[in-house]
Amino acid sequence: MLGYSMPLYIYVIEDLLVSMILLSSFVMLSSRWISFYIHAYGFQSFLIFVLTLIIGIEAQSVDLYIVAFLTLFVRTIFVPYILLKMIKKFNIKEEVKLSLKIPFSIISGVVLTIFAYFLIYRLISAFSPKIVVNAGSIALSLIFVGFFMIISRFTTITHILGLLVIENGIFLLSVVVVPTLPIIVELVVLFDILVTVAAMLILSMFMKMRTGSFSTAMLNRLVG
Amino acid sequence: MNMKIFIAIFLIIPLFASLSSFIVKNKRFAEYISLFSSSLDLIGAFVILYFVLNFKPVFLFNNAIAIDKFSAYLILLVGIVYFLSSMYGISYMRLAIENEKMTDKEFFRYELFLNLFALTMLIAPMINNMAVYLIDIELTTIVSSFLVISEVTEKSIEAAWKYILVVSSGISLALLGTILFYLSGNIPGSANIVSSLDWTALRLNAGYLNKDIALIAFVLIVIGLGTKVGLAPMHTWVPDAYSEAPSPVSAMLSASLENVALYGIIRYFGIAGRSIGFGYPEAILIIVGIFSIFIGIMGIIYQNGTKRLFAYSSIEHMGIITIGFGLGGVFGTFGALLQMLGHTLAKSTMFFGAGNFLHKFKTKNIKKIKGVFYVMPKTAFLFSLGSVALIGGPPSVVFISEFLIILQSLKDGYYWITVLLVGFLLTAFVSLLSKTGSMVFGKADDNFNAEKGDFSPFSYVPMLLPLSASLILGFYIPESLHSLLIGIVHIIK
């Protein structure tokens, strides 16, 4: 995105897409049900796929095509599928335990988004058009919201999803701000997602077998 | 021999060992193939070091692999701990199967992941592309989290979960920092584009990077990789993971993984320093280092668990090393590098000793372990010498390195750092010695009815080897090691 000059309608579409991405992260913040989270994550990843594809087509970059379709397969289809299957297998119907009430979560999300905007504005506004500043700040806000989700929810699945949202934010940032990033980086990040999700799922299965729950609220034995 | 083939074989050996031990499913075979592959890799590490020291840095596969003196030194440190841990693992795992009802499945999973863990750590210092390096660090996290749950208990699952969650989010911050470093070299409209993430290229063209972005990127890198190193305040996972992992794994986590992660910070330190000047990055490292020492000592003073004690001691040592790099100069950097070696040698001794105590006394509680000297004299002797070596008692290499770091702070005129360092080191000296002393000396409980005597030689020879190396290096640093470390000092600055 940065470094390419693009027609106006691309800018409009991109603004629309990134605002919907932001919306999907707020959907995650405001929901109580795990399957809701997973669907919101899949939707968010799909939007990122569309954005990457459009930028790839405009910039005529084969690397971005490959990355876009890998995003579609891994982030949009594979990971949500595995998580949903996991939920079905263990028959999880429990609500997510929240350490903060939902309205407060949303207010925190808004504050984090504004903070991300100022941070990105100070960093890159000197040399980049406004549209990149907007998209970059939303990408950074995804990272912050991901961290917020990890610290404010007590379920292993939401911890994994928090990490995945952080990863989405980093990916979005790299696509809109540095689209020339070597493809090897994107590939290893995707590989990393797969391995991390697999490892965390195995761990949470161990946890389910030992403690009978996916809740992380009881992980309080090791202190001092 | 062709260096390409040599490096390939060097990396295939641990992979082969892990897969074959998992396929053959014979316990004796699995133990000895790990020992064999680790001793081959230790020899290989020395060969690489010899080559780099006497000829030139190695660049292979289109510069994807870059091994200079610093990388070769790190590879050697990893190789040493891999060798010691796989030797000690023979004794530890036999006892775990005997006493703690470790199942065969858990044993073979341990052998599989132990060698893979060593492999990921041996690769990390060779990688030129910093993003790929970070992903490799992430892989070490995942592999070692399965080693932490070698024995599946509720506590070990908790430790592994904290470990993987905290470190993964840390690494993602470091990845963000790496992307920002790339952005800083790719500002549209600027005359010089640095379109690479190789540290060699970044270091060469550091002057062209955008200074503001490079600064933020370096802060993110310190936070992200600092999580992996265990620098305070990102250290929360360290005591849990180190205390719940089996002792050979604790030694590998503490003595080599921390060094491998610190290696990344120091590479970026060199790049950032060349771009924005060394003043600001040095200040960051010094502040983080002092805070880590403080947290480490607080953890040592109020500690009841043997392995948690040494985990906090690791945090303290990493703080000292970070301060050494942060102070810069020849003495500071030299001291920090030497401290890496001293930490590696002493900390593996201590974790092995703690593992022997665990098997004999069936507890990790310091207050319940008394009179080890009467129960297992050889382990107790090595353990008490090791604790003196660890905290920098005079005839050890840690003494020299800490002395050099303090000397550098005096030389630069940072007297407040000198005062703080000396105070902290004395506190650590007293508090750690009182803890280990209460375990080693005193009188064993009357109702302690386990059999007296040491375990097999595999349980104390891995303590003896690094300890004697640490003591010998305290008296005499060979010319080759000296010139190697001086070479690395010039690489970093």
Side-chain angles (χ1 to χ4, degrees):
Chain A
M1 200 53 214
L2 193 59
Y4 295 110
S5 60
M6 301 209 173
L8 187 65
Y9 73 95
I10 295 284
Y11 285 164
V12 175
I13 292 175
E14 189 189 319
D15 248 349
L16 206 64
L17 282 172
V18 289
S19 53
M20 281 168 79
I21 289 171
L22 185 64
L23 189 69
S24 65
S25 73
F26 276 87
V27 167
M28 287 190 213
L29 279 183
S30 64
S31 81
R32 276 182 172 278
W33 305 95
I34 294 177
S35 65
F36 222 77
Y37 274 81
I38 300 172
H39 285 112
Y41 169 75
F43 181 62
Q44 187 181 67
S45 312
F46 182 73
L47 292 174
I48 291 178
F49 153 72
V50 175
L51 183 62
T52 315
L53 195 65
I54 290 174
I55 295 176
I57 289 170
E58 272 304 314
Q60 294 179 342
S61 151
V62 181
D63 285 5
L64 282 178
Y65 292 154
I66 298 172
V67 172
F69 279 102
L70 278 172
T71 298
L72 178 67
F73 289 127
V74 175
R75 288 197 173 92
T76 315
I77 298 171
F78 188 69
V79 171
Y81 171 75
I82 291 203
L83 290 174
L84 284 174
K85 204 176 165 188
M86 175 94 177
I87 286 189
K88 217 172 206 174
K89 190 179 168 194
F90 287 99
N91 201 13
I92 304 173
K93 286 189 181 134
E94 56 191 301
E95 286 182 39
V96 179
K97 285 201 191 77
L98 309 168
S99 68
L100 296 169
K101 293 247 160 43
I102 284 175
F104 190 74
S105 297
I106 292 175
I107 292 171
S108 313
V110 172
V111 171
L112 289 173
T113 311
I114 294 168
F115 178 60
Y117 184 82
F118 277 107
L119 213 59
I120 285 284
Y121 187 82
R122 286 202 55 170
L123 266 185
I124 66 171
S125 65
F127 50 81
S128 51
K130 214 168 178 187
I131 176 81
V132 176
V133 175
N134 286 348
S137 61
I138 286 176
L140 195 61
S141 79
L142 282 193
I143 297 173
F144 291 153
V145 167
F147 274 111
F148 183 75
M149 275 170 62
I150 291 177
I151 58 174
S152 65
R153 275 132 178 82
F154 296 135
T155 323
T156 56
I157 304 276
T158 48
H159 281 179
I160 299 175
L161 278 167
L163 273 184
L164 287 169
V165 170
I166 295 173
E167 216 85 74
N168 261 357
I170 291 174
F171 179 74
L172 186 62
L173 191 76
S174 73
V175 168
V176 290
V177 180
V178 275
T180 50
L181 198 69
I183 187 173
I184 176 85
V185 178
E186 312 280 13
L187 293 183
V188 290
V189 169
L190 277 173
F191 173 71
D192 173 53
I193 289 182
L194 283 181
V195 179
T196 310
V197 168
M200 295 182 91
L201 282 181
I202 293 169
L203 266 181
S204 56
M205 262 194 277
F206 274 126
M207 204 182 290
K208 173 86 182 171
M209 280 188 273
R210 285 277 158 173
T211 64
S213 160
F214 281 112
S215 170
T216 55
M218 55 181 60
L219 296 185
N220 53 8
R221 288 183 185 78
L222 298 172
V223 282
Chain B
M1 192 165 68
N2 190 339
M3 206 60 193
K4 241 181 221 179
I5 301 170
F6 181 79
I7 296 287
I9 292 175
F10 180 75
L11 295 178
I12 284 172
I13 290 169
L15 185 66
F16 174 78
S18 77
L19 293 181
S20 66
S21 66
F22 195 67
I23 291 167
V24 175
K25 298 235 185 255
N26 179 314
K27 280 184 194 157
R28 292 288 159 274
F29 175 79
E31 284 167 355
Y32 287 112
I33 192 100
S34 295
L35 184 58
F36 183 62
S37 90
S38 64
S39 34
L40 281 184
D41 265 5
L42 183 58
I43 296 167
F46 274 112
V47 172
I48 294 174
L49 193 61
Y50 177 81
F51 186 86
V52 172
L53 199 54
N54 287 303
F55 302 104
K56 58 182 185 346
V58 182
F59 292 98
L60 298 174
F61 308 110
N62 275 338
N63 288 352
I65 283 180
I67 305 174
D68 64 353
K69 284 176 189 164
F70 195 15
S71 318
Y73 183 56
L74 259 293
I75 292 169
L76 177 68
L77 294 187
V78 175
I80 290 171
V81 183
Y82 178 32
F83 173 69
L84 294 172
S85 283
S86 54
M87 191 199 280
Y88 180 71
I90 295 177
S91 145
Y92 187 91
M93 283 298 146
R94 280 180 192 171
L95 290 166
I97 290 168
E98 218 172 275
N99 299 335
E100 295 178 16
K101 301 193 184 91
M102 190 186 207
T103 59
D104 285 5
K105 209 174 155 191
E106 285 172 342
F107 175 79
F108 289 115
R109 197 178 64 215
Y110 163 82
E111 291 286 346
L112 172 74
F113 282 115
L114 182 80
N115 293 305
L116 280 183
F117 184 35
L119 174 68
T120 49
M121 285 198 293
L122 287 170
I123 293 177
M126 298 181 183
I127 295 172
N128 197 348
N129 187 319
M130 289 316 278
V132 182
Y133 162 82
L134 281 176
I135 301 301
D136 188 66
I137 292 290
E138 177 68 20
L139 278 182
T140 62
T141 310
I142 287 155
V143 173
S144 53
S145 71
F146 281 100
L147 284 170
V148 172
I149 51 165
S150 290
E151 293 159 75
V152 183
T153 60
E154 282 180 23
K155 278 184 178 176
S156 71
I157 292 172
E158 176 182 346
W161 185 262
K162 278 184 187 167
Y163 176 31
I164 205 167
L165 188 72
V166 174
V167 174
S168 296
S169 28
I171 297 289
S172 58
L173 278 185
L175 206 59
L176 183 64
T178 308
I179 288 171
L180 286 184
F181 256 116
Y182 186 80
L183 174 67
S184 74
N186 279 276
I187 307 289
S190 72
N192 298 291
I193 299 286
V194 189
S195 105
S196 167
L197 272 174
D198 296 352
W199 62 258
T200 48
L202 280 173
R203 216 168 69 111
L204 205 62
N205 303 313
Y208 302 133
L209 303 180
N210 181 310
K211 291 190 172 51
D212 297 341
I213 298 180
L215 198 150
I216 296 276
F218 180 69
V219 174
L220 283 172
I221 293 285
V222 172
I223 296 172
L225 278 173
T227 316
K228 188 81 187 176
V229 178
L231 294 174
M234 292 82 71
H235 67 285
T236 46
W237 62 274
V238 170
D240 299 348
Y242 290 10
S243 73
E244 294 311 314
S247 279
V249 178
S250 310
M252 281 174 95
L253 281 170
S254 162
S256 55
L257 185 60
E258 290 186 341
N259 286 338
V260 169
L262 195 62
Y263 161 86
I265 295 185
I266 300 307
R267 284 283 188 221
Y268 272 116
F269 174 66
I271 297 166
R274 279 175 175 74
S275 166
I276 53 183
F278 277 96
Y280 198 86
E282 282 181 350
I284 293 174
L285 289 190
I286 288 174
I287 291 168
V288 170
I290 285 180
F291 192 57
S292 302
I293 298 181
F294 175 72
I295 293 288
I297 286 172
M298 286 300 131
I300 290 173
I301 290 174
Y302 297 105
Q303 197 44 259
N304 287 325
T306 47
K307 284 161 96 180
R308 294 181 85 84
L309 181 71
F310 299 124
Y312 277 106
S313 157
S314 292
I315 296 172
E316 180 222 336
H317 270 247
M318 282 299 136
I320 295 171
I321 296 172
T322 315
I323 287 184
F325 281 121
L327 287 169
V330 176
F331 288 156
T333 316
F334 190 96
L337 290 166
L338 201 60
Q339 175 100 357
M340 276 180 159
L341 178 63
H343 170 78
T344 299
L345 296 172
K347 199 47 70 62
S348 27
T349 310
M350 301 316 282
F351 272 116
F352 297 157
N356 285 347
F357 292 0
L358 175 65
H359 279 310
K360 189 60 101 182
F361 292 83
K362 310 273 186 289
T363 176
K364 285 178 198 159
N365 193 334
I366 290 176
K367 289 188 175 133
K368 288 181 184 158
I369 299 175
K370 284 264 182 293
V372 184
F373 239 117
Y374 301 103
V375 182
M376 37 199 326
K378 285 173 189 154
T379 305
F381 177 70
L382 295 170
F383 186 82
S384 43
L385 265 189
S387 56
V388 175
L390 178 70
I391 50 179
S396 82
V397 67
V398 178
F399 172 73
I400 298 176
S401 56
E402 286 174 353
F403 183 72
L404 283 173
I405 292 170
I406 291 172
L407 210 59
Q408 180 70 40
S409 70
L410 278 175
K411 194 163 163 266
D412 289 353
Y414 295 125
Y415 298 115
W416 61 277
I417 296 179
T418 317
V419 173
L420 274 179
L421 257 181
V422 172
F424 281 150
L425 289 178
L426 283 177
T427 319
F429 194 94
V430 174
S431 50
L432 204 134
L433 268 194
S434 74
K435 301 268 174 194
T436 54
S438 82
M439 282 190 279
V440 171
F441 303 107
K443 194 167 173 296
D445 278 349
D446 291 334
N447 51 7
F448 175 73
N449 48 11
E451 189 185 342
K452 287 193 178 179
D454 286 284
F455 299 123
S456 70
F458 284 122
S459 74
Y460 56 82
V461 172
M463 296 172 71
L464 176 66
L465 294 178
L467 189 60
S468 41
S470 168
L471 296 183
I472 291 168
L473 284 174
F475 284 114
Y476 165 70
I477 293 179
E479 184 53 37
S480 54
L481 180 63
H482 186 264
S483 67
L484 171 73
L485 295 186
I486 289 291
I488 300 173
V489 171
H490 290 306
I491 287 174
I492 291 171
K493 272 276 165 142

